[in-house]
Amino acid sequence: MSKSIYLLLILPVGLLLTACGEQQTPSRAAKTQGSMQHPIPKITEPPKRDYGFSDVVQGGKLFRQNCAACHGQLAQGNPQWRQPGVSGKSAAPPLNGTGHTWHHPKAGLKHTIKQGTIRTGGSMPPWKDKLTDAQIEQIIAWMQSHWPDEIYAAWLETDKKARKSRPAR
Ligand code: HEC
């Protein structure tokens, strides 16, 4: 495929993504609160993302196939996620930056996804035998593509600190 045709194909998708991001950022930022432990930094320029466009596209497909049934098509989570259900178990939280997923470093997110939460009294199945490490990374990239720049910048700090104290697995 010639380069210009490729660009023509990519451009509308890129514009669409930009448009969504602009619309959603203010409301998401407002819903997500920082804390002493997880402050949301004031940033002057967007942080560099550590994933690429194709990771996000692949991750989106895998998310819809495996995770959307509980976490929602756009990773918005179950509206009741903060209240334990009758069984005492929580409903699936949002992964789109409005919850607290960004408080966890990459290694922690991978651990939760691989092991699930059934063993610790939750209801998420483990994915370690169904998805490869690379696929889990792609799903995380897709999740993070929904996070506003401030949230991603805050997460980068947390991840950097965790890598210093324990090298990435
Ligand atoms: C059967 C429903 C279900 C499915 C399917 C599911 N999850 Fe979950 N997930 C949950 C629940 C519920 C929690 C909250 C922990 C708990 O109480 O079990 C959770 C928690 C998480 C967390 C931790 C979020 C945080 O803010 O700490 C991550 C990350 C996550 N899920 C990712 C995924 C990914 C990626 C997939 C698909 C590969 C997936 N989940 C599939 C139900 C599900």
Side-chain angles (χ1 to χ4, degrees), residues 21-40:
E22 273 166 12
Q23 263 175 16
Q24 290 167 358
T25 301
S27 60
R28 285 199 178 145
K31 270 192 234 153
T32 306
Q33 296 191 345
S35 62
M36 290 277 277
Q37 263 183 318
H38 297 282
I40 300 177

Side-chain angles (χ1 to χ4, degrees), residues 24-59:
Q24 290 167 358
T25 301
S27 60
R28 285 199 178 145
K31 270 192 234 153
T32 306
Q33 296 191 345
S35 62
M36 290 277 277
Q37 263 183 318
H38 297 282
I40 300 177
K42 294 226 178 324
I43 52 170
T44 49
E45 56 183 80
K48 192 179 168 320
R49 304 268 171 161
D50 76 346
Y51 50 80
F53 185 72
S54 66
D55 296 324
V56 174
V57 173
Q58 287 306 321

Side-chain angles (χ1 to χ4, degrees), residues 61-71 92 95 109-119 123-137 139-140 143:
K61 279 188 202 150
L62 292 164
F63 186 88
R64 282 187 289 280
Q65 286 162 6
N66 299 293
C67 327
C70 293
H71 288 280
L95 306 173
L109 292 174
K110 279 171 76 174
H111 180 84
T112 303
I113 297 169
K114 279 183 171 177
Q115 306 301 332
T117 61
I118 293 172
R119 284 191 327 181
S123 52
M124 173 156 128
W127 296 94
K128 60 179 181 341
D129 299 328
K130 301 205 175 83
L131 297 168
T132 63
D133 262 39
Q135 288 176 317
I136 291 176
E137 295 254 356
I139 296 179
I140 294 176
M143 272 159 45

